[in-house]
């Protein structure tokens, strides 16, 4: 049995003060959640949010991590910097990082390896664009991203994969539950080949792309879908809490 994991991706929203207030509002709403609850916050919000989540069941995540331990990488954040504040999860290879900041499967791989080495749990994002889906390239794109992005991973059971069709992120368009389930099933078959069928059964695979209070139940009822990576809806406590309680 895989424990579902619902993670919020705040992206570049919420100052530290606003982030701490959001967590304070969220704490009583999600305290009896049956799934893992994570908020992935802007780096500068981490100290304030780390304090706010103390004593709660909300876990802290970051939105990126650099692949070097330290050094001349202006503007970057290291794994040790995250760990010092109790960060446990880190999103790696989000499509917005790939689209706007030159992230590639190769740099994703370097970041995944560093995160695992440091003891962070990576949430590795993969997904196809609309034109890739429409031209029948979805599986080829996912195969490449997974094969290259997860190369040399020695502890695959620590991975979380987020299947995020790029065309569904922030657009209000959601993959149907059947589409998401089928594609996540394909991802699991790739993980079985890269690692082993038994390990693939233990790896949690989230769906991400306009998941909200209205569609979460149907998506989460699918056998292959183990959670959600939530953008817009994670900024509103009631909406995020409704997703966390998808089983109610
Ligand atoms: C995301 O940013 O990972 C995401 C899925 O965003 P949204 O829920 O807003 O589509």
């Amino acid at each position: 049995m895989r424990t579902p994991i619902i993670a919020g991706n705040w992206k570049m929203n919420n100052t530290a003060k606003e982030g701490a207030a959001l967590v304070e509002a969220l704490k009583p709403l999600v305290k009896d959640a049956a799934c893992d609850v994570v908020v992935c916050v802007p780096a500068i919000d981490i100290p304030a949010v780390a304090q706010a989540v103390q004593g709660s069941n909300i876990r802290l995540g970051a939105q990126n991590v650099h692949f070097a331990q330290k050094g001349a990488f202006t503007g970057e954040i290291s794994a040790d910097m995250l760990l010092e504040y109790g960060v446990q999860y880190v999103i790696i290879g989000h499509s917005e990082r790939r689209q706007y900041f030159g992230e590639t499967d190769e740099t994703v791989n370097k970041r995944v390896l560093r995160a695992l080495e440091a003891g962070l749990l990576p949430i590795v994002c993969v997904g196809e664009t609309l034109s890739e889906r429409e031209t029948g390239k979805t599986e080829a794109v996912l195969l490449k991203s997974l094969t290259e992005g997860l190369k040399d991973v020695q502890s695959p059971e620590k991975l979380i994969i987020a299947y995020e069709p790029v065309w569904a992120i922030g657009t209000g368009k959601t993959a149907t539950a059947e589409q998401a389930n089928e594609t996540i099933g394909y991802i699991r078959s790739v993980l079985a080949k890269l690692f082993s069928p038994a390990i693939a059964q233990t790896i949690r695979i989230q769906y991400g792309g306009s998941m909200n209070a209205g569609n979460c139940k149907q998506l989460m009822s699918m056998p292959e879908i183990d959670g959600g990576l939530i953008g817009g809806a994670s900024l509103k406590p009631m909406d995020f809490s409704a997703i966390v309680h998808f089983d109610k």
Side-chain angles (χ1 to χ4, degrees):
M1 277 299 287
R2 300 181 293 264
T3 306
I5 174 167
I6 301 292
N9 172 17
W10 291 0
K11 312 195 188 196
M12 197 175 72
N13 295 293
N14 290 326
T15 65
K17 262 190 203 162
E18 289 165 345
L22 196 163
V23 165
E24 290 302 342
L26 204 54
K27 280 199 288 196
L29 298 174
V30 302
K31 67 176 187 333
D32 55 351
C35 62
D36 290 345
V37 183
V38 183
V39 288
C40 298
V41 311
I44 201 165
D45 292 7
I46 286 172
V49 176
Q51 210 168 6
V53 298
Q54 265 183 27
S56 80
N57 60 332
I58 303 173
R59 300 287 169 257
L60 186 54
Q63 298 175 9
N64 197 9
V65 63
H66 198 260
F67 40 78
Q69 288 200 1
K70 56 158 78 176
F73 300 100
T74 302
E76 291 288 326
I77 307 281
S78 76
D80 290 343
M81 293 168 188
L82 299 176
L83 289 163
E84 195 169 276
Y85 282 97
V87 171
Q88 290 177 283
Y89 295 85
V90 60
I91 297 173
I92 297 178
H94 191 279
S95 64
E96 287 151 16
R97 301 280 333 158
R98 294 176 191 257
Q99 185 178 351
Y100 303 126
F101 302 100
E103 198 82 64
T104 63
D105 292 325
E106 189 188 350
T107 59
V108 166
N109 182 240
K110 288 164 90 170
R111 292 179 204 273
V112 168
L113 294 177
R114 175 66 196 129
L116 288 170
E117 178 191 47
L120 291 164
L121 301 172
I123 299 175
V124 185
C125 301
V126 293
E128 80 286 0
T129 62
L130 186 58
S131 73
E132 287 164 344
R133 176 161 280 266
E134 287 176 345
T135 52
K137 297 199 186 97
T138 300
E139 292 193 353
V141 168
L142 295 173
L143 179 64
K144 178 180 177 296
S145 290
L146 293 163
T147 307
E148 294 180 11
L150 304 181
K151 190 164 159 271
D152 297 330
V153 165
Q154 301 300 320
S155 43
E157 66 285 351
K158 304 228 169 81
L159 296 168
I160 293 143
I161 309 293
Y163 167 56
E164 298 211 308
V166 179
W167 48 272
I169 297 179
T171 57
K173 285 186 197 155
T174 323
T176 64
E178 290 74 21
Q179 266 175 336
N181 191 60
E182 188 186 330
T183 311
I184 290 179
Y186 173 73
I187 290 173
R188 204 176 299 287
S189 76
V190 174
L191 297 176
K193 286 193 193 109
L194 291 178
F195 305 112
S196 78
I199 284 175
Q201 284 306 317
T202 68
I203 298 176
R204 293 182 291 178
I205 309 179
Q206 300 172 311
Y207 167 77
S210 300
M211 197 192 267
N212 58 41
N215 60 26
C216 63
K217 270 193 178 36
Q218 210 192 352
L219 285 159
M220 290 300 296
S221 71
M222 291 289 155
E224 295 289 358
I225 303 181
D226 304 318
L229 184 56
I230 321 296
S234 72
L235 301 173
K236 300 176 206 137
M238 292 304 287
D239 289 26
F240 190 60
S241 152
I243 300 172
V244 163
H245 293 293
F246 65 88
D247 54 337
K248 298 273 160 65

